[in-house]
Amino acid sequence: MERGLTVDVSFDLAHFKVHTTMKSRTSYLLPLPTTVLGFFFSILGKSREEYIKERESFKAGAKLLSIQGITRENAQLLKLKGKGVRTTEEIMLLLKPKYKFAIWGNVNVIGKLYNKLKLFEFEFVPYGGLSEFIVSEVENPQLYDTYEELEIIRNSYVPQTLLESLKLQDGGSVYTFPYIYLGEPKFVVMGWNVELKLKQKIPTIGGVPLYPSLLVGRQ
């Protein structure tokens, strides 16, 4: 039996690293399902080995609720061994973003997670792995017994292969970023103040799309 959960998560500063290479420092505007699942699993105290083993049994996603700005910094890469040219690249940092995170899966796991969120009793402080973030608030956890299938989502993301069209609102922005699936590069479209129309309906809870951990959509 399965169940879903959403929770509002605020960050003082966040950098959800594009993970196609170990070098790239460009940020996703929203964290992908792998990061969202890692966030929840750390609260439950699950190890990396458990995360890798269990993540395929869950779906997850994120929706951007608000953001105060984006700043960019230049960083210089240094080689620890050998000689080589030092390169400079841009780091995109998100200032005070607030998201609605969603997870869907085993009813017992979701229930345990809900209780920990309500009591703010985390096994581990949520850790971003290759990403970097500072959590400032976790609030408003909600449980869902059913999901709703929608073909239009807002302020979130969708695999490029599932995107039919998009509509920008005033002040809106859209990004297309790469991600890796089974060693093959794919692309995800995400944005703020944007409406994304999909080629087919997908499950959602609280307006947040639910995707498999590696962001593979049904086609």
Side-chain angles (χ1 to χ4, degrees):
M1 187 173 178
E2 295 184 326
R3 204 176 193 186
L5 178 149
T6 62
V7 65
D8 297 344
V9 184
S10 302
F11 300 91
D12 287 332
L13 191 69
H15 171 232
F16 300 108
K17 180 184 173 188
V18 173
H19 59 277
T20 52
T21 68
M22 292 298 291
K23 174 184 172 183
S24 174
R25 301 295 290 179
T26 301
S27 292
Y28 293 117
L29 184 64
L30 297 95
L32 296 188
T34 49
T35 302
V36 176
L37 286 173
F39 178 91
F40 285 129
F41 280 16
S42 64
I43 291 173
L44 291 170
K46 293 184 179 292
S47 66
R48 176 172 174 78
E49 289 72 22
E50 290 174 308
Y51 165 77
I52 293 173
K53 180 180 179 181
E54 299 178 23
R55 65 185 180 184
E56 296 304 316
S57 301
F58 292 84
K59 291 182 174 64
K63 177 179 180 178
L64 182 59
L65 300 178
S66 63
I67 187 170
Q68 291 193 14
I70 296 175
T71 185
R72 291 172 170 82
E73 296 181 357
N74 291 323
Q76 190 172 58
L77 300 180
L78 300 177
K79 293 186 67 174
L80 297 180
K81 295 182 179 180
K83 296 182 179 179
V85 178
R86 298 178 180 180
T87 61
T88 301
E89 59 181 38
E90 186 178 78
I91 301 174
M92 187 172 80
L93 301 173
L94 311 175
L95 304 179
K96 294 190 177 298
K98 182 176 182 178
Y99 302 92
K100 186 177 289 293
F101 282 2
I103 182 173
W104 181 272
N106 180 274
V107 62
N108 294 324
V109 175
I110 297 300
K112 182 178 180 181
L113 180 59
Y114 176 78
N115 290 333
K116 285 187 173 295
L117 289 166
K118 287 286 288 185
L119 298 174
F120 211 78
E121 292 181 353
F122 299 172
E123 296 294 332
F124 298 120
V125 175
Y127 169 64
L130 294 178
S131 298
E132 303 157 7
F133 50 66
I134 302 172
V135 180
S136 61
E137 191 71 52
V138 178
E139 56 188 344
N140 193 31
Q142 295 185 26
L143 292 171
Y144 298 80
D145 292 321
T146 60
Y147 58 77
E148 180 181 13
E149 291 199 334
L150 299 176
E151 63 179 9
I152 294 178
I153 59 174
R154 296 173 177 83
N155 302 328
S156 188
Y157 46 74
V158 59
Q160 191 177 48
T161 54
L162 292 185
L163 181 64
E164 177 72 29
S165 62
L166 60 85
K167 182 187 297 184
L168 276 176
Q169 301 170 349
D170 291 342
S173 58
V174 173
Y175 299 86
T176 299
F177 287 117
Y179 69 98
I180 293 294
Y181 174 64
L182 297 179
E184 181 181 349
K186 303 284 187 178
F187 291 89
V188 58
V189 180
M190 58 178 61
W192 169 239
N193 285 338
V194 63
E195 180 179 279
L196 302 169
K197 183 177 181 181
L198 284 64
K199 296 177 181 178
Q200 63 192 47
K201 292 183 178 182
I202 62 172
T204 68
I205 52 175
V208 186
L210 296 168
Y211 296 110
S213 63
L214 297 179
L215 200 61
V216 182
R218 293 174 298 168
Q219 298 183 52

